């Protein structure tokens, strides 16, 4: 009887584990160990290189020698049935030393017309992108790129006229 109650308690504890603890480990005593920045980024790099995840986006290090894993290239294939269909958008991603506690800084290199992108610089406006606005440390670069692709599909953006293909932000 005591064992059954203990098992139920364990089940309850597992069921209440939050999404934000996905990239954290718990010791036998219940302490939460936070995964260091570089370990998280190495996991993201490995998954991206293996082609795990969403196939309409891609990302990787700008320089394989970047030991701080700070500067990344990204790409988004425009969603079918939108003004973005058939286009490939290039992005620059910067993971600051505060990552993953804060979202990465993202800037479109390819010109795109969307309200969540500063039309002078190509910088993504954090407050206008769901994944960045609701950021938590269990999220990563992939979630940001997927969220941007979803923005392309939104009713307000799917029909927006786009700049000439191949044009870039300064």
């Amino acid at each position: 009887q005591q064992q059954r109650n203990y098992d139920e308690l364990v089940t309850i504890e597992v069921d209440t584990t939050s999404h934000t603890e996905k990239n954290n480990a718990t010791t036998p005593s219940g302490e939460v160990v936070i995964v260091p920045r570089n370990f998280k980024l190495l996991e993201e790099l490995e998954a991206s290189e293996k082609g795990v995840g969403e196939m309409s986006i891609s990302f990787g290090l700008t320089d394989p020698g970047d030991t701080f894993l700070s500067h990344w290239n990204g790409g988004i294939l425009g969603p079918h049935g939108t003004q973005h269909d058939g286009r490939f958008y290039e992005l620059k991603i910067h993971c600051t030393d505060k990552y993953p506690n804060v979202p990465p800084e993202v800037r479109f290199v390819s010109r795109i017309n969307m309200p969540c992108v500063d039309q002078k610089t190509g910088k993504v406006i954090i407050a206008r992108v769901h994944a960045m606005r609701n950021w938590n440390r269990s999220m990563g670069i992939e979630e940001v790129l997927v969220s941007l692709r979803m923005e392309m599909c939104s009713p307000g953006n799917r029909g927006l006229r786009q700049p000439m293909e191949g044009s870039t932000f300064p």
Side-chain angles (χ1 to χ4, degrees), residues 87-106:
R87 291 185 179 214
F88 181 78
Y89 293 96
E90 180 185 355
L91 302 93
K92 294 289 182 186
I93 303 158
H94 179 238
C95 296
T96 68
D97 58 347
K98 294 180 181 170
Y99 183 87
N101 292 323
V102 299
E105 297 168 353
V106 180

Side-chain angles (χ1 to χ4, degrees), residues 4 8 14 54 68 72 99 103 113 115 119 124 128 135 145:
R4 187 173 148 257
E8 287 173 7
V14 169
E54 177 63 44
F68 294 107
W72 299 67
Y99 183 87
N113 180 21
Q119 292 303 300
V124 173
R128 295 187 178 170
W135 185 260
L145 295 177

